[in-house]
Structures are given as structure tokens and as C-alpha cells.
Amino acid sequence: MRRFVCRLALAAGVGGASLAAAPAARAQLVPDGVTDPTLVTMTPTDTLVGVRLHARRIGVSTYTQQSEAYGRWHLGKRQTLLYRARTDWVLDSRGRPPFVREDYRADALHLIGLGRHWQVGQQMVYDYSHANHIRTVTWLGRAGGQWRLRPRSTPDSLSQLRVALLGGLTHDMRNGRQDLGPTYGAELTAVVRPLAAWPEPVALRLVALQTQLGPRRWQRALADAVYQRAVDDNSLALLRLGYRNTRTEDYLPANVQRIQSDTLAAQVQWTYQLPGQASFRSDNSVLLPARAFRYRRLGPLADTVQNLGYRQHEYDTRQELLLTRRKLQARIQFSYHERVRGYHLDNNRLLAPARFATAEQREKIKDISEKTTQWQAELTWLLRPRHALTAGGNAQLLRVDTPSPENYQDRDEASHQLRLRLTSRWHPTFRTSLGLWGEYRQLIFIKAQQSAENYSDRLLHWEPGFAWAPGTFSWRGSYHLWVSYQVRDRPAEQARNRASRVLELEQHLQWEVRPQWLLTLDYQRRENRIGQLNWQSFRESPLDTTILHDMSLGLRRGWRGVRGQSSLRAGYRFLEQRSHQRAALLPEGAGAAGLIYLRTLTRQHGPELSFERRAGSLVLTTSLWLQQLQNLYRYRPGQGTYIGGSSYTAEELGRRSSRLLPYFELLLEYQLRGRARWGR
């Protein structure tokens, strides 16, 4: 624990290299990896410095911390420095030594403008994983520029080209080995009008990067092209084509493993505005991924591993029709997805034809085809100005086929769902909602070997809710009750039939006692009962019951000033979980274990304190729950013996544990914009 706290304090205090970026600023900074640094100085921006820190306790002995620092500095009229540093830590203090996952990443990009079109720079990237003992450091120099493709064409003011050449060194340490080698590549980004008269341009991006590390090689290549065009006044079409290639190599005990991935992708979208407040949208895509695992001996006497891989094709189509009227809104959607994967081997081990055929047949057992068809519909009808009825339905069918006769996973999964919801506003301060929906699921294995798993599942949901807000007082409540009956198809499997009932209840009350003083009460209850179901007589026997209560009472005080707003909340939280189940009580001497009805109680309660501050680009949120954790057992003897499930001794059931656990969370985000300069 001391190690974690000290490092957290160091990250927050020293700050610079171990804090992390807000999502809004990340797109403007150095992108992830060494293949995506863009010529960011093409768009003038102010200097930016930001930090982010998020630390919390997520379990009895588990803590997490993510931090980041990022910035953009203008060193002069033509120089810009971008940097980002991140940490990601997870600590589990139960281990000996305690398990710690520590990941670090830092990158910096320095750019210098030369004239109107040219630019040079350098980039440093650092990655370190403490758990895997992997460290990679890359330095890249870059030179590139930007030009208009038709500088003298008045109609074409968009066509432009950006080119960058990359070169440097990479040092990689893993598996007790250290490798150093060159890294080189190129980037090209273009916005082109194939014809100067075309209103819409084509966006094109090409990236290629390769690293040579002794016997290993890493490479990455991608190509993307996007074209969007208005066909007429009512329709818009988009075409996207892409290619990805990645190759990574790593050490095994006696081999080098290469994982190579190639993917071709195409996407066509079309949107059409129909007359009468209706629109149609079509989205269709094709994905052709392939992955291969290849192995090379590190020594002449080493035995190699079998090369293998798979090829896959995916098709996806979605067609949607939307109708909007004054009192009626309807949406109908059809989607179909198909994924087919086939495995293959290479005879790199020079096996005899018969042995290779046997090995390949064993690998092809994993060949699979999945086809999913889905229909969705939703209708919202304004019955009266204060009452709206929403009806929806969903039908889905998944078919899984395996060509191999030794693979028994061939199955059909079908589900049908119907939903109804009535929303009413009875008064400006009071509204209600009532939802009712049912679902029927069916799972059927085609081959006899798995037919014992066939079942049908019937679900029924009931969801009432209300909201009442008369002035300074508000009360929101919601309920969700659903029951499920899972029935096996085979008569011999009826003992595995299950019935479950789940009740979720939420109540939220607020009262503004005085201006800037708010009293809140939140209560949640979740009850889950599982029983063995006799479907023929529609009776059930309880097996397991879990009941959860969570209540929080607090008083909040807020301040609002010229520089920002703050709030302080103090309260008390009580959480209790009860589990009811059957168990076995082990006798002190010889004899059979007796049946007991066991109740396990876990209570967490204690005072809560939280503070929040928002001032411009500063966001600070802290919370502390000083909880007392208690665990105890209660039971009563049953009749007869019990076999199976959990077993306890009388001494174990008599133990009670109680300890104080502070749960905390800290979130800090801060961005500083200005025009500070580093030395000229």
C-alpha cells in the first residue's frame, strides 16, 4: 500500500510525465503509435497544457490510477512541441509481493516549419509494461510538406497533398532480449477532386512503416479512401474503401512467432429523403480479414511450431425507414450479418502427407459460419396531448453452422420480443410511465450430441415509474419486475429447468431546504430469486435468493461565484446483501454432512463526504466513503443429509469479521491555454 500511495503522490506532485489527456484535446495532440503524427501546425492554435488524474479504490484490496499530462507549446513562429505522458496502474495488495500492473507511455513531437510548404521534425515514443517486462523506445525523424494541387485553379481550392518521410531507430526489450534496429516509413494524406468541376473531393490516406529488430520485423500499412456525394437534392451517398496490414513478431522459447493480419474493407451508405416526412437509410459493408501465425527457428536444432491461419469474410447490411408525422413516428429496420471463417495449415514442418492431412483436418474442426437476421420496429403514437403510447417489436434469428462432423456447435437461436409503454403527464408536476414487454427465446442444437442443451426461455417484464416535482421537492421512482422460465426440451433434463424472478426498485427524493441547500435520499433494492422449475405442474422449489439494499442520505451545499462553482456533500450510506441458499454442515466427528439453510450477510455502512469544484477548465471531484465492512453467517438445521454445494463447519459459521475500509475516488482535470513561449 505504501508503494502505491507514494507513487500516486509523486504522479500528482511532480506531474509532468505521468498525467493523461482529456478526450476533447486528444485529437489535437500526438496520436497513438509512431505511424500517425500529423502536420498539426497547418492549423494555428494557442498553447495548451493539460493534466488529468483519476485514482480510486474499486475493491477491498484493489486500487486503480490513471494519469496523463499533455501539452502543445509554440517555441517560436515556426516551431511547435507536442507531448503526452500517461500512466495506468492497478494494485492488488493481497499478493505476496502485491500484484501491480504498471503501464507507462510517453510521446513527444517537435516540428519546425521551413518556408511556406516544408516542415521537419522529430518524435520520441516510450512504452513500458512492468508486468510483462516489455520496454520499447522509438526515435523518428520526419520531413514533409503540404501543397495545393491546383494552385491556379479558382474553382478548386480544396485539393491538397501532405507527404512525410520517417526514419529513425527503435530499441525493444522483452523476454530477456534486447534488440536495436532501424525504423522507416512514409505518410501521404490527400484531398483530391478527380475533376476540378466535381463539387465533392476524395479523401485519401496512405501510411507505411517498418521496423527491423534483429531476427524480428514489425510493419504496418494502411490505405483509406472516402468519397461522399449528393446524388440529388434528396439523396446522399458515401463510399469508403480500406486496407490494413499489420505484422508483429515476438520471441518464443526456440522460435520467432509472426502474427500477420490483412484486412480489406468496403462500405456503401445511401440516405434518401422521401416525400411526406419520411427518410430511408441503407448501410452496407464487406470485411475480408485474414490472420496468419508463422514460426521461424532461432537455431538450426530447434523444433519449429506448426504454421496456421484463417480467412474470413463478413457481410453486413442495414436498411432503415423512418416516418415522422405530427402525432405519429415510426421506424422499421432490417439487418443481416454473415461471418464465415475457415482455418488452414502450412506444411512448414515437412510432415508426411497423411500426418499433414490429419493435422489439417483437426484444425478445420473450428471452421464456422454465423448468419444473423434481425427485424426491428417501433411506433410512437401521441394519443392525446398528454399521453403517448410506444409499441416496439424485435425478431432475431442466429444460425451457426460448422462444416466438420466432429464439431457439435451447429445451432439455431431465435428470439421474439414485443414492448408496450404508456407515458402520461397528469399535471405539470406529475407524470407516470408504464411498460410491459415479453420475450420468447429458443435454443436448438442441430446435432444429437448437444441436444440435451436445447431449451426455451419465456420472459415477462413489468416496468412502472413516476416523477413528482412540486416546487422545491421532487420524487422519482421506478420499478422493474421480470420473470423467466427456462424449460429444457428433453424429458430427462427436466431437473435442470429454472425459474428466476428479479425485482429492482429505485427511489430518489430531493428537497431544497434553502437556496443552495439540498437534502437527498436514494434507495435501491434488488432481489433475485432462483428456483428449480416443474413446468408440467408449474411449481418451483427455491434454490438461491439474493437481496440487496442500498440507501444513501446526504445534505449538499453549493456555492456559485465569478470564478466557478463548488459543492460539498456530507451523508451516510448503508449497503446490505443477503444470500439464502442450501449448504452442508460438516460434523465434528465421523458421519454424513447435514442439510442447513444458510443466510450470508454482508454489510457496508459509514459516513460519506464528497467535494466538487468547477472553474473554467478546472474540474475537481473527490469522494470518501469511510465504511465498516461486516461479514457473518446465520443458519438453521434442515432435515436429512445434503450432498453438493458449499460445506462449512460450525466453527466457520460462528466467525464474524469487521474492519474499517476507506473507499475513495479522486478526479482532476485541468487545461491551461495561453501564449507562453519556451526559449527562443
Side-chain angles (χ1 to χ4, degrees), residues 617-655:
S617 58
L618 170 67
V619 177
L620 174 63
T621 303
T622 62
S623 64
L624 174 65
W625 181 20
L626 197 62
Q627 70 161 249
Q628 188 78 25
L629 175 63
Q630 297 175 334
N631 294 296
L632 64 149
Y633 299 98
R634 294 176 182 173
Y635 69 95
R636 61 183 178 86
Q639 298 294 329
T641 61
Y642 183 73
I643 301 175
S646 303
S647 301
Y648 301 88
T649 64
E651 182 182 358
E652 291 175 338
L653 297 178
R655 294 174 184 170

Side-chain angles (χ1 to χ4, degrees), residues 6-26:
C6 292
R7 293 194 175 184
L8 180 59
L10 179 62
V14 178
S18 56
L19 303 174
R26 288 180 180 174

Side-chain angles (χ1 to χ4, degrees), residues 309-310 340-344 360 363-369 401-404 407 410:
Y310 67 80
V340 179
R341 175 180 291 186
Y343 291 82
H344 61 86
E360 189 171 37
E363 189 67 23
K364 284 185 170 294
I365 293 177
K366 299 184 294 183
D367 290 359
I368 192 170
S369 171
D401 296 317
T402 58
S404 173
N407 193 330
D410 296 44

Side-chain angles (χ1 to χ4, degrees), residues 14-52:
V14 178
S18 56
L19 303 174
R26 288 180 180 174
Q28 306 174 14
L29 302 179
V30 185
D32 290 337
V34 296
T35 65
D36 299 331
T38 57
L39 303 180
V40 291
T41 55
M42 299 300 176
T43 303
T45 53
D46 292 339
T47 297
L48 169 67
V49 177
V51 294
R52 184 178 185 273

Side-chain angles (χ1 to χ4, degrees), residues 58-114:
I58 61 174
V60 174
S61 60
T62 308
Y63 307 82
T64 66
Q65 184 270 140
Q66 298 88 34
S67 56
E68 191 168 5
Y70 55 94
R72 178 178 55 246
W73 294 88
H74 296 289
L75 309 180
K77 294 183 179 180
R78 297 182 178 273
Q79 295 190 54
T80 302
L81 176 66
L82 299 95
Y83 66 88
R84 182 172 60 190
R86 292 180 291 178
T87 69
D88 188 357
W89 300 343
V90 177
L91 167 67
D92 188 345
S93 60
R94 291 175 298 181
R96 292 293 182 270
F99 171 77
V100 179
R101 190 193 78 185
E102 300 180 35
D103 294 334
Y104 301 87
R105 179 178 176 84
D107 48 55
L109 176 64
H110 178 215
L111 298 173
I112 304 174
L114 303 177

Side-chain angles (χ1 to χ4, degrees), residues 386-404:
R386 295 185 178 183
H387 304 278
L389 177 65
T390 301
N394 184 7
Q396 178 177 299
L397 174 62
L398 167 63
R399 288 188 166 176
V400 179
D401 296 317
T402 58
S404 173

Side-chain angles (χ1 to χ4, degrees), residues 553-571:
L553 176 66
L555 182 63
R556 181 176 177 270
R557 170 72 164 92
W559 300 270
R560 184 184 297 273
V562 179
R563 296 185 177 182
Q565 55 185 358
S566 305
S567 66
L568 178 65
R569 182 183 182 276

